[in-house]
Amino acid sequence: MAPPLLAALDLPARWRGRARFAVLLDRFGRGEAVAALVAAWRADPARCARLDVVVLADAAPVPGAHDVPGVPPDWPPGTPDVHVTWVDGTGVRVLLAAGDPQRAWRELVARVDAFHLACPPADAADVSKALVRLSADDATVAADHPTDALRAALRARGFALADQAPWGARYRPAFQPSRAPVRRVAPASARRHAVVVGAGLAGAPAADAPARHGREAPGVER
């Protein structure tokens, strides 16, 4: 991710002082954009405590085919699924959704602060709809190929578009859609469990998260 793209996403300024910040990339390649984000995060003394990088890949990855320092050399497994790893010695977590990107856009459950669209969207209307569903307040978007269809779809859904290079957009709808509250339920006993029903793009990270917080997650290999 080149400095102009970081500027289009208003980074690193927007993650400063935050407990968590999430970036979504629609291309993995050899992890160049992930590596650039990690480098920018490391270099910023006021960085967020945790950076989540969600990547949509259009094919099963080749194990070890990446150039991201601090990520295991044999990661990710060569299967279409959600693969999660932490960059060694950092608060950066990488979640790679390998498989059908259109399905990932539909099924992904997240609150994302910044999006980088490296690939021209096959369906600008569907992608813009997903961006609205996933966008956190004041989310930013940078696109390498801002087609007229993408511009129109984003503008119609409440994104303010930048006219100057590098091209970007910011989610500022006139009407803020309501968000369903997150309900927390107290554990029934001292032993803490989590049961994940279903699998696929949402199931893997849903099972990984409680396991990292000390809850038993049946069926999850740690």
Side-chain angles (χ1 to χ4, degrees), residues 1-116:
M1 181 175 290
L5 284 171
L6 289 171
L9 294 175
D10 198 13
L11 295 177
R14 292 189 58 240
W15 67 35
R16 288 176 178 159
R18 298 273 296 272
R20 173 187 173 274
F21 194 87
V23 180
L24 186 146
L25 313 171
D26 70 346
R27 181 180 180 275
F28 185 70
R30 293 193 61 86
E32 303 94 335
V34 177
L37 281 169
V38 173
W41 184 89
R42 286 182 185 271
D44 186 4
R47 59 185 175 259
C48 53
R50 192 176 95 192
L51 175 64
D52 284 337
V53 183
V54 182
V55 189
L56 311 184
D58 60 2
V62 177
H66 66 79
D67 299 318
V68 186
V71 168
D74 58 348
W75 186 88
T79 57
D81 205 342
V82 174
H83 306 293
V84 183
T85 190
W86 290 80
V87 178
D88 186 47
T90 73
V92 181
R93 182 174 63 161
V94 182
L95 302 95
L96 175 65
D100 181 0
Q102 291 185 332
R103 178 186 174 192
W105 279 117
R106 292 193 304 268
E107 296 186 0
L108 184 65
V109 178
R111 188 67 70 232
V112 179
D113 300 286
F115 303 84
H116 175 213

